[in-house]
Amino acid sequence: RAEALERERLARDPRAASAWVRLGLVLARQQRWGEAREAVLRGQALDPKTALPPGFLEDSKPESLVDIS
């Protein structure tokens, strides 16, 4: 459900950086690490001020994507 919501938002506005980041977090929770990283980095590329998960770029471990409050 969460993935579908973010994909709907992106269908309406593919330049919505925060929606890309949220999609990445949803994908990470599904352990779809490659897709998650792509989505989050795409969001950051669209808006460098977009908040990334703590340690996302520094830590290559997928676990860094999962435990986000």
Side-chain angles (χ1 to χ4, degrees):
R1 172 92 174 121
E3 180 182 352
L5 280 173
E6 296 309 328
R7 291 197 185 277
E8 287 172 18
R9 288 181 181 130
L10 289 167
R12 288 191 304 270
D13 182 7
R15 296 193 50 82
S18 60
W20 281 109
V21 171
R22 286 190 304 267
L23 175 61
L25 296 176
V26 169
L27 293 170
R29 289 185 185 111
Q30 297 171 8
Q31 298 183 6
R32 293 162 61 186
W33 311 120
E35 293 172 86
R37 184 173 177 82
E38 275 183 41
V40 171
L41 293 177
R42 185 166 182 178
Q44 187 189 37
L46 288 167
D47 181 1
K49 294 178 185 173
T50 300
L52 292 179
F56 183 79
L57 295 176
E58 295 81 24
D59 188 353
S60 61
K61 295 178 186 174
E63 296 81 23
S64 67
L65 293 174
V66 178
D67 297 324
I68 303 217
S69 304

